[in-house]
Amino acid sequence: MPAAKPSQASIGNTIKAIISSGMTPGAVHVAADGGFRVEISCGLENVSPAKDLSAANENALDWEEVACK
């Protein structure tokens, strides 16, 4: 007996649910037994660049401090 395949509707509904919850779907992996999983993308597109760089800017050395020593 061949392995079950997930329907296009079940994958589509899962992706729609992920998007409606505010997350970004990444890759869809289909297993040999017909099960599937959807990876959630955790990119930096939702992060403020200023927030990311504030700690780096606080810890950064000024070029004049380094060059003049």
Side-chain angles (χ1 to χ4, degrees):
M1 177 175 191
K5 291 177 18 180
S7 69
Q8 185 175 2
S10 63
I11 294 175
N13 290 340
T14 302
I15 290 174
K16 287 177 187 176
I18 291 169
I19 292 171
S20 69
S21 67
M23 295 183 281
T24 305
V28 176
H29 299 273
V30 179
D33 65 355
F36 68 93
R37 65 183 170 91
V38 180
E39 290 182 6
I40 304 300
S41 177
C42 297
L44 296 176
E45 60 271 357
N46 296 328
V47 178
S48 167
K51 182 178 180 183
D52 271 354
L53 298 177
S54 62
N57 287 336
E58 291 171 8
N59 294 328
L61 294 174
D62 190 13
W63 73 271
E64 293 170 338
E65 293 175 7
V66 177
C68 297
K69 287 187 176 184

